[in-house]
Amino acid sequence: MKPAPVRGHVEVICGPMFAGKTEELLRRVRRARLAGLDVEVVNHALDDRRGPGMVSSHDGISEASRTAPDATGIGRLLEGRSPDIVAIDEAQFFGPDLVPVVDALAGNGMTVVVAGLSVTFDGRPFEPLPSLMATAEKVTRLTAVCAVCGGEAAFHQRVDPGAPADALTPVAEHVGGVETYQARCRHHRG
Ligand code: ADP
Ligand code: MG
């Protein structure tokens, strides 16, 4: 007889800014809680748009979260607990160190839902999302609405003219809203 399937897997939600990544993450968090599951929501310390300890969408939907300063901090804040679901927003801020941490959590039986930017504001792949997408069981790739033509936007770019326009800018520069960034399609970026 086959053994029962082992629990623990990875779900990635990715795309450019304004694609609805946080909305989708919070939708999954809320329906899991309705089902009585134990869910831990984690955000990076850099995302303090609505104050620390909050995951929030551009539309103002929000949920209380725990804050981690780096990828290894995620393990520390679980304090030996093993929730059914760990939902991580703004995954790009955690950098490549997030990949083994997510792998370990899923290996320990947790469902890990990871949302983050898969492109930088100058249109390049933004780790760790590409690596997570390649190894996740489930990937949900979202697009936004192009601010120029209304088409499908897989990119976003800075519209603040004073800002440097290269991806070497510290990752903290990726915190911002409609005043700083616009969603753009392939034909209207740059
Ligand atoms: P993300 O986490 O991917 O940045 P959010 O979940 O925070 O996105 O916000 C998604 C919401 O942003 C949409 O439901 C919509 O109301 C709003 N929004 C603002 N600008 C755009 C745009 N250009 N395209 C799509 N949605 C947009
Ligand atoms: Mg978001």
Side-chain angles (χ1 to χ4, degrees):
M1 203 171 77
K2 284 184 189 155
V6 181
R7 281 158 40 92
H9 70 276
V10 180
E11 302 177 5
V12 167
I13 302 166
C14 61
M17 284 183 85
F18 310 110
K21 302 180 300 298
T22 299
E23 283 177 352
E24 177 59 20
L25 181 88
L26 294 182
R27 188 184 73 83
R28 292 187 199 180
V29 165
R30 288 172 181 187
R31 71 190 298 284
R33 285 188 173 143
L34 281 171
L37 299 179
D38 181 13
V39 184
E40 188 76 53
V41 182
V42 179
N43 200 5
H44 194 280
L46 280 175
D47 182 13
D48 57 359
R49 284 174 289 180
R50 296 269 156 73
M54 223 42 159
V55 163
S56 52
S57 79
H58 293 290
D59 265 1
I61 301 168
S62 60
E63 199 70 50
S65 64
R66 309 280 302 278
T67 300
D70 52 33
T72 51
I74 296 174
R76 277 200 301 278
L77 64 79
L78 293 179
E79 292 157 347
R81 290 188 314 111
S82 186
D84 300 297
I85 298 182
V86 180
I88 305 169
D89 200 16
E90 303 290 2
Q92 72 282 352
F93 290 151
F94 292 99
D97 291 348
L98 185 62
V99 178
V101 170
V102 164
D103 196 43
L105 295 176
N108 285 330
M110 287 166 253
T111 294
V112 190
V113 186
V114 192
L117 293 173
S118 43
V119 281
T120 60
F121 60 72
D122 63 349
R124 290 191 276 167
F126 199 172
E127 290 292 346
L129 267 299
S131 295
L132 291 168
M133 288 158 73
T135 51
E137 278 79 3
K138 178 173 167 181
V139 177
T140 303
R141 176 139 174 73
L142 300 173
T143 53
V145 173
C146 174
V148 177
C149 72
E152 284 215 53
F155 304 91
H156 60 277
Q157 68 178 51
R158 291 197 77 123
V159 290
D160 174 359
D166 72 76
L168 297 176
T169 309
V171 285
E173 293 295 315
H174 282 83
V175 178
V178 283
E179 70 289 350
T180 322
Y181 295 98
Q182 277 184 354
R184 295 291 181 97
C185 72
R186 170 175 308 281
H187 308 288
H188 291 119
R189 65 191 163 128

